[in-house]
Amino acid sequence: MSPPPNPGIRRLGTLLALMINLSLMVVLPATAAADPLLSQGKPATASSAENVATPASAAVDGNTGTRWSSAFSDPQWIQVDLGATAAISQVQLSWEAAYATAFEVQVSADGTSWTSVHSTTTGTGGDQTLNVSGSGRYVRVYGTQRATQYGYSLWEFKVYGTGGSTGGGDRLLSYNKPGVASTSQHDGNCWECTAARAFDLDPASRWATSSTTGWVDPGWIYVDLGATAQVSKVVLQWDPAYARSYQIQVSPDANIWTTIYSTTTSNGFKQTLNVSGSGRYVRMYGTQRATPYGYSLWEFQVYGTGGNPTDPPAPPKDPANPPALVWSDEFNGAAGGKPDAAKWRADPGTGPNNELEYYTNHDNASMDGQGHLVMEARKQATPGSTCPTDPLTGSGTCQYTSARMNTGTKFHFTYGRVEARIKVPKGNGFWPAFWMMGADFLTGRPWPYNGEVDIMEVLGKDVKTSYSTVHAPAYNGGGGIGGPYTLPNGADYSDDFHVWAANWDSKGIVYTLDGRTVFTLSKEQVEQTRGPWIFDHPFYLILNLAIGGDWPGPPNAATPFPSRMLVDYVRVYQ
């Protein structure tokens, strides 16, 4: 058994690169502006992000070792919300090697209509100090021509001037406030999809108009903020049943409404609307549905000042940097010993997905005395059990046994680096997996509303391909978000051990194989293109070796029994 790796060693190359970048940056310091810095720590958004490690916020965090980088296409942009109108006197840009040859610096009062205050087609990158003159709440760098085949990337984006907001004034006003809607759905397809569900900060619950009376125009939902408020921002996370045309309205009495935002070209998903208006009540008033169905919102959030807000729960903290080992099992027990009962529980019974095995109560799981957990698949009937018909025997009694275990009542966690070193079996019908389930599954929330994070799945009929995927209400089953990946040189996963890992934090999940990034999921991008991100709460670990099922198909006469999935270790760092 090898000792746990030192996460700091893996970061050595990254740290050296950051030190080089820092040394290059201080050679030519930017000219200091006479006016104060307005942009640091303010909300920043961008047209895209290359991955979860390079978000827009990294360009305005005051840390010259972090950066924003975009997708590899033109145009791209990054903007910062100063919180209030400001007179802009200077913009400082510290470009990474992926810089803009042609770009504009633009200002806006509302984040929609933009005025250029600086323009160039001969940008040279590096550190640029641009003396400008303009007024706006929002400041944007709008790149139209890249200098390289990569995207646009900024270590720092600094805006100087007078005005703006000192920050901290605007807050979430709508959390757990009373909601009222034109109609609500409550049936087998959408259980308790009442107006309150849009204001509970639970991205897996939603409001929907009634399936019997609500699939009509108009449809609406409003929130009572408890007192008059100055509204500055509204965030909508739409279900696929979204509004093509709608208005955001405010009212002092829920009777007379004033429109503060209007669109006829909405494309759904997540929309952040910078608005300005005053009222106790805020309404989404839909006038044209985008589908034959009704209107439905996972989240309807209102930000501003005033009202009578209720503080939401504090969000979970991101892992430390570098993370520390907080939980592990090295499987160093004596040969024949069972999994550590303080860490794992057996999960006996039949499997989902039309699987053909019966999972035993640890009869198929044991140590091998050489530092490995053995999960063994056997051709072994279980009297009294019921499985889909086995095509080899024609029997509806489960003809195979295997192992499944989890940390469900032992260990839950939110965020961290989760990894396991595993060797998978080869043969038609085998389906080894290392994955996580949202812990609220144990208290009654059904799949996929609890969330599922698959770190490793391999099909025994194709052991050259591995998969990492996430499942949520808006994307699950065959529509889950993930992808396949292979080993270099066409190698076979069943030939040796490999380390599968998920690096999970508030920005998303980065999947790695043997330390190589194989798939990246950005929370921001998922919300804007697929639906709500539901992975910011506790999860537990699962190991299992399935036999048969909808995806892998059944065993055949050549499938070797018994076969083993070997697990060298499972580790969690935070």
Side-chain angles (χ1 to χ4, degrees):
M1 177 70 66
S2 58
N6 182 349
I9 293 176
R10 291 195 295 269
R11 289 180 172 77
L12 183 57
T14 301
L15 291 173
L16 289 172
L18 293 180
M19 291 169 64
I20 293 169
N21 280 318
L22 288 172
S23 66
L24 290 174
M25 287 180 184
V26 298
V27 173
L28 296 173
T31 304
D35 289 331
L37 176 62
L38 304 178
S39 54
Q40 187 163 309
K42 294 298 173 63
T45 55
S47 52
S48 66
E50 182 182 358
N51 56 56
V52 295
T54 58
S57 58
V60 294
D61 61 1
N63 183 348
T64 54
T66 62
R67 64 186 174 94
W68 162 71
S69 62
S70 75
F72 299 174
S73 61
D74 297 314
Q76 298 288 338
W77 52 263
I78 180 173
Q79 73 183 49
V80 61
D81 177 359
L82 302 179
T85 300
I88 312 303
S89 60
Q90 190 178 96
V91 172
Q92 294 180 1
L93 305 175
S94 293
W95 292 99
E96 200 246 356
Y99 67 93
T101 300
F103 69 92
E104 296 182 23
V105 175
Q106 303 171 328
V107 294
S108 174
D110 57 7
T112 302
S113 300
W114 296 91
T115 301
S116 180
V117 295
H118 175 85
S119 180
T120 182
T121 58
T122 57
T124 57
D127 293 332
Q128 296 180 317
T129 297
L130 310 173
N131 295 308
V132 300
S133 179
S135 176
R137 172 173 173 168
Y138 305 88
V139 182
R140 178 167 79 166
V141 177
Y142 188 82
T144 55
Q145 183 179 340
R146 292 163 291 144
T148 72
Q149 71 269 35
Y150 304 105
Y152 298 87
S153 184
L154 283 165
W155 295 103
E156 284 292 293
F157 171 23
K158 295 182 178 180
V159 179
Y160 295 84
T162 57
S165 169
T166 56
D170 290 350
R171 60 188 294 191
L172 179 62
L173 305 178
S174 54
Y175 172 63
N176 269 0
K177 293 302 175 183
V180 179
S182 52
T183 64
S184 293
Q185 188 171 354
H186 178 57
D187 55 33
N189 295 318
C190 198
W191 188 256
E192 292 187 352
C193 291
T194 60
R197 300 298 188 185
F199 307 109
D200 60 3
L201 276 187
D202 181 348
S205 69
R206 63 185 171 101
W207 160 73
T209 51
S210 169
S211 58
T212 56
T213 62
W215 292 2
V216 296
D217 297 316
W220 49 264
I221 178 174
Y222 72 74
V223 60
D224 177 1
L225 302 179
T228 300
Q230 182 65 38
V231 179
S232 61
K233 183 171 69 175
V234 171
V235 178
L236 304 176
Q237 180 79 62
W238 290 100
D239 178 69
Y242 68 95
R244 177 72 67 194
S245 300
Y246 68 90
Q247 301 168 16
I248 299 298
Q249 302 172 326
V250 293
S251 173
D253 57 6
N255 183 31
I256 300 173
W257 296 93
T258 300
T259 297
I260 58 175
Y261 175 85
S262 180
T263 183
T264 59
T265 58
S266 166
N267 60 359
F269 296 114
K270 185 173 184 178
Q271 299 174 344
T272 300
L273 311 173
N274 298 304
V275 299
S276 180
S278 178
R280 172 171 174 165
Y281 304 89
V282 182
R283 179 167 75 168
M284 187 291 300
Y285 188 79
T287 55
Q288 182 185 351
R289 289 162 294 140
T291 73
Y293 306 103
Y295 296 92
S296 184
L297 284 165
W298 297 99
E299 283 290 307
F300 180 2
Q301 299 172 9
V302 179
Y303 294 81
T305 57
N308 184 27
T310 300
D311 289 330
K317 294 182 179 180
D318 276 330
N321 188 14
L325 184 68
V326 297
W327 186 95
S328 69
D329 197 336
E330 306 297 318
F331 303 115
N332 286 330
K338 295 303 176 183
D340 187 342
K343 296 179 178 179
W344 301 96
R345 65 171 187 171
D347 189 6
T350 56
N353 308 304
N354 290 312
E355 296 168 19
L356 298 175
E357 79 291 316
Y358 188 90
Y359 291 115
T360 62
N361 188 11
H362 280 333
D363 292 344
N364 295 56
S366 62
M367 307 304 117
D368 66 357
Q370 300 177 38
H372 305 132
L373 168 70
V374 177
M375 306 184 80
E376 188 168 86
R378 303 170 185 161
K379 187 168 177 52
Q380 176 185 33
T382 303
S385 64
T386 302
C387 281
T389 301
D390 172 35
L392 291 179
T393 63
S395 175
T397 298
C398 299
Q399 296 295 301
Y400 309 93
T401 59
S402 192
R404 180 176 64 186
M405 60 195 217
N406 64 59
T407 66
T409 58
K410 314 292 183 179
F411 175 66
H412 305 164
F413 65 103
T414 306
Y415 303 155
R417 174 179 170 82
V418 192
E419 65 180 27
R421 187 169 184 262
I422 300 172
K423 183 178 180 182
V424 301
K426 182 176 184 177
N428 277 33
F430 294 140
W431 185 4
F434 170 47
W435 50 300
M436 303 192 297
M437 281 279 272
D440 46 359
F441 181 75
L442 302 173
T443 55
R445 171 161 282 189
W447 183 94
Y449 296 90
N450 60 304
E452 176 182 330
V453 178
D454 298 325
I455 303 171
M456 178 279 288
E457 293 181 283
V458 175
L459 304 182
K461 64 184 179 182
D462 176 19
V463 287
K464 294 183 182 298
T465 307
S466 183
Y467 303 83
S468 297
T469 316
V470 295
H471 300 271
Y475 40 91
N476 59 76
I481 306 175
Y485 47 89
T486 59
L487 289 165
N489 304 316
D492 187 325
Y493 286 106
S494 67
D495 287 343
D496 202 353
F497 285 91
H498 296 279
V499 179
W500 282 270
N503 300 275
W504 170 36
D505 61 20
S506 61
K507 298 179 181 66
I509 301 173
V510 178
Y511 290 107
T512 64
L513 171 69
D514 298 330
R516 171 174 62 98
T517 297
V518 292
F519 200 81
T520 298
L521 287 169
S522 161
K523 174 181 178 178
E524 181 179 7
Q525 184 177 19
V526 168
E527 289 177 332
Q528 292 177 351
T529 60
R530 297 295 297 272
W533 180 266
I534 66 166
F535 307 102
D536 296 323
H537 67 283
F539 278 68
Y540 61 90
L541 301 169
I542 305 173
L543 288 165
N544 72 291
L545 174 55
I547 305 170
D550 299 326
W551 192 17
N556 60 22
T559 302
F561 287 100
S563 282
R564 295 177 163 189
M565 170 180 170
L566 301 179
V567 185
D568 186 20
Y569 61 75
V570 178
R571 297 169 183 160
V572 178
Y573 299 85
Q574 285 187 320

